[in-house]
Amino acid sequence: MPSPSGRHFLQIPGPTNVPDRVLRAMAAPTIDHRGPAFARLTEEVLAGLGTICKTKSHIVIYPSSGTGAWEAALCNTLAPGDRVLMFETGHFATLWRSMAARLGLDVDFVPGDWRSGVDPATVEAKLAGDGARNIKAVCVVHNETATGVSSRIGEIRAAMNRADHPALLLVDTISSLASIDFRMDEWQVDVTVGCSQKGLMVPPGLGINAVSAKALAASKSATLKRSYWDWQEMLAANKSGYFPYTPATNLLYGLREAIHMLLDEGLERVFARHDRHAEATRRAVKAWGLELLCTNPAEYSSSLTAVLVPAGHDADVLRELILERFDMSLGTGLGKLKGKVFRIGHLGDFNDLTLAGTLSGVEMGLALSGIPFKAGGVAAAFDYLTESARHADGSRSSASAA
Ligand SMILES: *Cc1c(COP(=O)(O)O)cnc(C)c1O
């Protein structure tokens, strides 16, 4: 086994590579979470997350994984036996459904093929058919991290509005926030669920809810049991910059730094960067002669790409080979996709040369694995990156000449 010199390539779709700036920011002394410096930190991160979620609503930050933020979204807004509409887009949507069922909700789980997103027409038909207005919430995973498929939240909201249905819209943006455009207020999302370790480039440990006025009103009468996750106590304490219990101080330092980096780059540029790296990755996959798991180009994910390996081959054997030989971690196939796909994460702290290294590791791994493929994927990706860079430089110089 080669010695692990050089950097490990962490190309799973979360946790993602944590930028050195963020790591350094976290290596500061822990401060009194009831002192004045802490209140300023709280205000800064809450405001920054609002900008990133494109919302003026309340932001709640828990010391938790994303799963905790899922639970918070459900138990703050719903009552036992409430009907919720959920969609089988993949492994994460399935886990969220299981949680909702365990919490005592009545889940209408629309079956899916794990290769496409939520169909807005199905949302409209389901809601239009609910004359008694029994459905209390529509829960959608914006970017299904198990499959590399993004659902179209804006179109789903439009479908809900056409059905003129009062259900809340709860959206898991865990692997889309700060990678793929998301507009909480414009799309009238009621609860945005996020966490720290994916596009936000912070280590695992922070769960996020953004809460609309409608969701906050629903929480006043929602009777699912909750204590740790209760928004009311959190929002009351946050008003003066504090938390009802000890927050994850050093992770919040990291989050503040990551927010600075994202807003300095500019959110729209961050999204364009992710789109471009995702397109380059897909060109590599096609040139290799391999199949993308996502079947609908309108739903391609910009944070990760899931790639099918040909039948008779095990994607996990390829992943192990790449880890041992090239010190790169790729995402495994989750749930029923185990062994069938590998996932390339291209989100967070990522640039052209990170992609070049990542795709080179995949192509060399394919060559060593015995999986049938065509060489030239890396070259196809480079051609696209070079062409699009030339285009961007050209428009920049003509802009400065004008
Ligand atoms: C990672 C992920 C989760 C789970 O988050 P944890 O931090 O592992 O609890 C949920 N939903 C999506 C879409 C994810 O990508």
Side-chain angles (χ1 to χ4, degrees):
M1 192 176 150
S3 69
S5 61
R7 281 225 175 183
H8 176 68
F9 268 62
L10 183 67
Q11 296 322 136
I12 58 175
T16 64
N17 293 290
V18 180
D20 293 351
R21 269 179 68 176
V22 172
L23 288 173
R24 278 196 296 270
M26 289 174 44
T30 302
I31 56 171
D32 175 9
H33 62 283
R34 306 200 192 280
F38 197 89
R40 287 193 296 276
L41 171 64
T42 304
E43 279 154 26
E44 251 189 280
V45 293
L46 294 179
L49 284 179
T51 305
I52 288 171
C53 293
K54 299 190 177 176
T55 185
K56 296 191 162 54
S57 315
H58 295 289
I59 304 287
V60 172
I61 306 173
Y62 301 102
S64 82
S65 81
T67 302
W70 264 350
E71 181 160 342
L74 296 173
C75 70
N76 276 287
T77 52
L78 297 162
D82 273 356
R83 196 159 179 75
V84 296
L85 186 58
M86 300 178 108
F87 302 85
E88 188 197 0
T89 49
H91 184 67
F92 288 101
T94 304
L95 289 176
W96 201 12
R97 183 281 307 259
S98 303
M99 171 188 276
R102 278 198 301 272
L103 290 172
L105 298 169
D106 173 19
V107 184
D108 181 354
F109 196 48
V110 178
D113 63 0
W114 291 44
R115 299 193 70 170
S116 51
V118 174
D119 179 7
T122 306
V123 176
E124 186 170 356
K126 284 273 179 188
L127 295 181
D130 179 38
R133 300 301 190 233
N134 285 324
I135 297 171
K136 299 300 176 210
V138 176
C139 304
V140 178
V141 175
H142 184 196
N143 185 69
E144 177 52 81
T145 320
T147 62
V149 177
S150 292
S151 287
R152 290 159 288 161
I153 305 300
E155 291 178 42
I156 291 166
R157 163 47 70 188
M160 292 176 71
N161 289 350
R162 278 195 301 275
D164 193 22
H165 194 290
L168 297 167
L169 176 58
L170 276 44
V171 181
D172 170 346
T173 65
I174 290 178
S175 64
S176 58
L177 203 60
S179 303
I180 299 170
D181 193 14
F182 174 75
R183 311 174 187 182
M184 177 166 177
D185 286 359
E186 183 182 328
W187 296 339
Q188 299 161 265
V189 173
D190 293 296
V191 187
T192 298
V193 177
C195 71
S196 51
Q197 77 271 22
K198 301 192 182 178
L200 289 175
M201 312 185 292
V202 178
L206 297 176
I208 297 159
N209 278 178
V211 181
S212 76
K214 185 171 158 187
L216 198 59
S219 76
K220 305 257 159 69
S221 55
T223 55
L224 272 179
K225 288 256 186 304
R226 58 188 182 271
S227 166
Y228 185 79
W229 303 118
D230 200 287
W231 289 336
Q232 303 293 343
E233 280 192 43
M234 184 68 92
L235 294 175
N238 281 176
K239 259 189 205 139
S240 48
Y242 302 106
F243 283 71
Y245 40 75
T246 316
T249 308
N250 291 52
L251 286 174
L252 295 174
Y253 296 156
L255 179 60
R256 173 167 59 187
E257 191 68 14
I259 289 168
H260 282 158
M261 290 176 70
L262 289 163
L263 298 185
D264 284 352
E265 183 176 354
L267 281 181
E268 305 314 312
R269 270 176 220 245
V270 170
F271 302 144
R273 168 164 62 81
H274 283 79
D275 293 344
R276 183 167 165 272
H277 290 143
E279 175 61 26
T281 303
R282 290 190 294 269
R283 290 191 185 209
V285 172
K286 285 175 193 162
W288 289 325
L290 299 178
E291 195 182 344
L292 297 167
L293 184 63
C294 180
T295 49
N296 180 358
E299 297 176 326
Y300 284 150
S301 166
S302 288
S303 16
L304 77 136
T305 301
V307 185
L308 283 155
V309 295
H313 294 272
D314 185 342
D316 283 337
V317 172
L318 172 69
R319 288 179 46 256
E320 273 162 37
L321 186 159
I322 290 172
L323 177 60
E324 277 184 17
R325 179 55 55 186
F326 304 113
D327 198 23
M328 174 163 73
S329 299
L330 295 171
T332 188
L334 293 169
K336 69 179 187 185
L337 295 172
K338 183 159 180 49
K340 297 192 167 66
V341 304
F342 64 92
R343 294 171 300 141
I344 304 171
H346 34 70
L347 73 164
D349 188 34
F350 199 81
N351 63 24
D352 286 10
L353 297 190
T354 333
L355 183 66
T358 301
L359 296 178
S360 299
V362 176
E363 186 157 331
M364 289 190 284
L366 285 166
L368 292 172
S369 71
I371 292 174
F373 83 107
K374 295 196 283 280
V378 167
F382 286 6
D383 284 348
Y384 171 74
L385 289 179
T386 315
E387 263 321 298
S388 62
R390 184 173 292 135
H391 195 75
D393 290 346
S395 56
R396 204 179 303 142
S397 50
S398 59
S400 58

